[in-house]
Amino acid sequence: MMNRYYGLFMGTAIPFKHLKKIIRKFNYDYYDKASPERQQHFIEIIPEFHISHSNYPHHRVECIMVEPAFLNRFLEIINNLNFTFILCHYSHGHFQTTMNGNELSVTCYRSLEDIVYLILEDEEDIDRKFANQLLTLPLEKQFACAPGIKKSEDYQHLLDTWVKEVLAYPAKNA
């Protein structure tokens, strides 16, 4: 049974050309060439991107297929690039809140270190007001995170607090 994870890529700029070159070494072709015995131990990482200050066109990056023996080396290479990479459990959730008449949704990821990350689902922010406000903030304010959250009301509290902080953040040049 293959292990499956999400890989969160977060940064102010992500060098996609370089990243794609690295991922080419860890793709389905690499997986297909492995013996069935080796294949069952592979780790599949599904990439998710958050790039600050950018309504970037979504880059298609294929899933990353890594053998456990090479995972640390892969992470070392990725972590030497100029962005944050967080390996997260495959199971994830969705939470909503309504602020100032705007319904906002986030995807919730849990890192292997038990830190919860809430990332805005852009398509839910119809007039893009909140998403545009996010883009003016420093990267670390563009998502919410907290360790050890387990209960639904704690997720909701983290989401509501984060949204209030973003909305209260002073607008640039105001």
Side-chain angles (χ1 to χ4, degrees):
M1 172 77 182
M2 188 186 316
N3 288 312
R4 192 173 266 152
Y5 298 96
Y6 277 105
L8 293 185
F9 292 82
M10 297 195 282
T12 51
I14 293 178
F16 279 101
K17 199 173 176 183
H18 194 70
L19 185 60
K20 285 179 179 183
K21 219 181 273 184
I22 294 165
I23 291 174
R24 255 200 309 266
K25 293 179 173 81
F26 298 98
N27 62 15
Y28 284 116
D29 291 340
Y30 168 62
Y31 171 78
D32 289 339
K33 289 174 186 162
S35 67
E37 297 78 42
R38 279 178 44 217
Q39 283 182 350
Q40 64 187 330
H41 298 291
F42 266 73
I43 295 165
E44 180 182 33
I45 301 171
I46 300 157
E48 289 288 329
F49 294 98
H50 175 78
I51 305 171
S52 73
H53 313 307
S54 159
N55 290 322
Y56 67 98
H58 285 273
H59 284 262
R60 291 290 311 140
V61 175
E62 57 188 307
C63 286
I64 302 157
M65 307 298 289
V66 184
E67 288 185 82
F70 299 119
L71 181 62
N72 284 341
R73 180 69 185 130
F74 172 77
L75 294 174
E76 194 179 297
I77 292 166
I78 290 294
N79 287 322
N80 278 328
L81 298 175
N82 204 13
F83 57 82
T84 302
F85 177 77
I86 302 157
L87 201 55
C88 297
H89 294 282
Y90 182 64
S91 60
H92 62 287
H94 299 274
F95 288 89
Q96 287 89 25
T97 192
T98 303
M99 292 271 171
N100 302 342
N102 267 353
E103 189 175 302
L104 301 168
S105 297
V106 293
T107 302
C108 170
Y109 300 95
R110 181 179 301 278
S111 75
L112 301 188
E113 293 79 27
D114 200 31
I115 296 171
V116 166
Y117 292 85
L118 303 182
I119 306 219
L120 180 69
E121 293 175 9
D122 265 356
E123 60 275 4
E124 299 298 325
D125 184 14
I126 305 303
D127 62 7
R128 293 209 41 83
K129 229 185 205 152
F130 188 79
N132 289 336
Q133 170 89 9
L134 268 185
L135 295 178
T136 68
L137 305 182
L139 177 65
E140 66 278 2
K141 302 255 186 235
Q142 294 183 23
F143 55 89
C145 64
I149 289 180
K150 301 280 189 262
K151 294 189 284 194
S152 188
E153 56 268 22
D154 294 335
Y155 283 103
Q156 199 64 52
H157 177 72
L158 176 62
L159 172 57
D160 292 343
T161 304
W162 174 60
V163 170
K164 284 176 192 161
E165 284 174 7
V166 169
L167 293 173
Y169 205 82
K172 272 191 171 173
N173 308 320

